[in-house]
Amino acid sequence: MSSLSCHILDTTQGTPASGIAVELIKFDTRDTIIKGETNEDGRVRFESTELVCGDYTFKIFN
């Protein structure tokens, strides 16, 4: 089983960026796989979805 996570830091404050909406997107189709929001540590974990080999990207909303 594989998992994927994203960690976002606020470089102006030097702290984790919490409350940021993030979408995991399959790169070749541009389809949104799953959405999440960063926690107080600036992390969002995409554990509830099965991932197949391929290329993925994140779309971040501020």
Side-chain angles (χ1 to χ4, degrees), residues 7-54:
H7 189 200
I8 301 175
L9 300 173
D10 181 343
T11 57
T12 62
Q13 301 290 323
T15 59
S18 62
I20 304 294
V22 178
E23 290 183 7
L24 176 62
I25 299 171
K26 184 84 164 91
F27 191 77
D28 57 351
T29 62
R30 306 275 189 220
D31 291 335
T32 298
I33 306 300
I34 192 169
K35 296 178 183 182
E37 186 174 298
T38 56
N39 62 17
E40 64 281 346
D41 193 33
R43 298 177 192 274
V44 59
R45 290 181 175 82
F46 300 102
E47 299 178 81
S48 63
T49 187
E50 286 288 321
L51 300 175
V52 297
C53 289

Side-chain angles (χ1 to χ4, degrees), residues 4-7 22-25 44 46 56-60:
L4 186 64
S5 66
C6 178
H7 189 200
V22 178
E23 290 183 7
L24 176 62
I25 299 171
V44 59
F46 300 102
Y56 296 87
T57 189
F58 294 105
K59 187 173 185 181
I60 300 169

